[in-house]
Amino acid sequence: MLRSTADHARAQQRLIAVTAAAVRREWDSIGSDFDGGWLRVGPRIVALMTAAQIGAARDGSAYVGQALAEQRITSTPSGAVNVSALTGAYSVDGQLVGDLDSTLYGAVVHARSGLAESLGDRLARGRSWLDMMTVTQVGDAGRAATGVGIAARPRIRYVRMVNPGCCQRCAVLAGKASKDIAFPRHPGCLCRAVPTGDGSTHGLVEAIEPGDVRDLTKAQRQAIADGADMNQVINSHRVYVSREGIYTPARNGMTTTEGTTRRGIAGKRLGAEPKGRAQRLSPEGVYATARNREEALVLLKQHGYLI
């Protein structure tokens, strides 16, 4: 890993931690009258978050040049990153969709929603939501500035750095290179972009191991322990966002359509018909079907998890 990348990641994490602690202190003083209390603490919380975004964006912009210099890559930017355009706003999946002032009132909404037996419980609900917002909104400002800084330089792309303790969605993107300015991420995502040129990306980021992925199922971990390719296992559990905003596993948990076209690994092995899809077992389906480990290994190979 580049020294500049490690330094940048630590600086961003410290900024987020300090900001989250300050936001919590303000929130905890709101009192039982949420609307009246928000008139007092809300502006201070917005100011704290905005200041942290400005710091994160400035650092994210400067980091691009530092990372390229460490790699001895020269690329003159066509312009400077406009930090003010990336701060004071609320983002969803990296897209700016509103202002922080109105959005952060969501802490009050969350505190009032759901079942809670005491004021302390309601404060905890709002505090948890603000923690997530701090991680996401401050982090997004830094990542957005890095993305703009990369896009402003010719022949520069980025490699995705994924932190241990990541989710499955991020794990399969670890180390992937992209020339797009877009940096797909979800609320609470801690991934970062490592700027680089068109050459080799070997050693830029650390590999993600199964133990680094926090939400693998028992069957997924067993399949990987039996020799299955981690990305194939994870892709079989690709998730969707329902109308209710809930992430749901593919199919019924036993089968999946991921990788089952004629060009997919599983599709080739299962004999998918032209313009059709084969029926592919998920790791859960494999272990529910197999009578012993030998059969499980055969099915893992047949369904494209062992390659």
Side-chain angles (χ1 to χ4, degrees):
M1 181 189 299
L2 298 175
R3 179 176 179 178
S4 55
T5 298
D7 290 345
H8 172 63
R10 283 193 293 268
Q12 295 279 285
Q13 289 165 359
R14 284 196 299 269
L15 177 60
I16 289 172
V18 169
T19 305
V23 167
R24 287 189 209 112
R25 285 194 295 270
E26 293 293 342
W27 171 254
D28 288 344
S29 70
I30 194 171
S32 57
D33 178 5
F34 286 125
D35 283 330
W38 185 256
L39 291 175
R40 175 172 47 82
V41 306
R44 295 203 289 265
I45 289 176
V46 172
L48 285 167
M49 196 85 74
T50 301
Q53 284 186 323
I54 292 172
R58 287 175 176 168
D59 190 43
S61 174
Y63 157 62
V64 178
Q66 295 163 359
L68 294 176
E70 187 174 349
Q71 299 171 73
R72 298 183 180 178
I73 296 172
T74 302
S75 180
T76 303
S78 57
V81 176
N82 182 8
V83 170
S84 63
L86 304 173
T87 59
Y90 165 63
S91 65
V92 175
D93 296 335
Q95 303 296 318
L96 300 180
V97 296
D99 63 274
L100 277 178
D101 197 359
S102 58
T103 302
L104 291 179
Y105 181 77
V108 173
V109 175
H110 278 73
R112 286 174 169 161
S113 64
L115 298 175
E117 297 181 357
S118 66
L119 175 61
D121 290 340
R122 294 198 180 279
L123 287 174
R125 289 177 63 85
R127 188 185 309 115
S128 178
W129 186 81
L130 282 171
D131 282 347
M132 184 273 292
M133 287 292 291
T134 302
V135 170
T136 301
Q137 301 309 315
V138 176
D140 271 1
R143 285 180 291 233
T146 296
V148 173
I150 291 171
R153 291 170 166 82
R155 300 180 301 280
I156 298 301
R157 56 180 179 162
Y158 69 80
V159 174
R160 190 182 188 96
M161 185 184 80
V162 177
N163 286 328
C166 66
C167 67
Q168 297 185 43
R169 288 168 287 169
C170 293
V172 295
L173 298 175
K176 296 291 180 67
S178 175
K179 294 182 178 180
D180 296 331
I181 188 173
F183 189 80
R185 51 196 183 268
H186 56 80
C189 180
L190 297 176
C191 294
R192 304 193 182 281
V194 180
T196 190
D198 293 327
S200 172
T201 61
H202 179 72
L204 280 183
V205 299
E206 296 179 357
I208 292 296
E209 303 295 335
D212 298 326
V213 186
R214 66 174 183 269
D215 56 352
L216 290 173
T217 67
K218 183 178 179 179
Q220 285 178 303
R221 293 190 187 280
Q222 183 61 54
I224 295 168
D226 283 338
D229 178 76
M230 185 173 73
N231 282 6
Q232 287 291 315
V233 168
I234 289 175
N235 283 336
S236 76
H237 275 248
R238 186 169 296 178
V239 294
Y240 311 90
V241 180
S242 70
R243 292 180 180 177
E244 295 76 24
I246 300 172
Y247 287 99
T248 53
R251 296 289 184 173
N252 57 5
M254 295 295 107
T255 62
T256 178
T257 58
E258 290 299 326
T260 57
T261 64
R262 293 186 70 193
R263 288 182 291 182
I265 293 175
K268 291 176 181 178
R269 296 186 178 185
L270 297 171
E273 297 295 329
K275 298 183 179 180
R277 289 180 178 270
Q279 188 75 355
R280 184 187 193 186
L281 290 175
S282 67
E284 279 81 0
V286 167
Y287 290 106
T289 302
R291 291 173 293 183
N292 51 51
R293 184 170 183 272
E294 286 69 28
E295 284 191 8
L297 292 176
V298 170
L299 290 173
L300 287 172
K301 290 179 181 177
Q302 183 181 359
H303 290 266
Y305 299 112
L306 280 172
I307 56 176

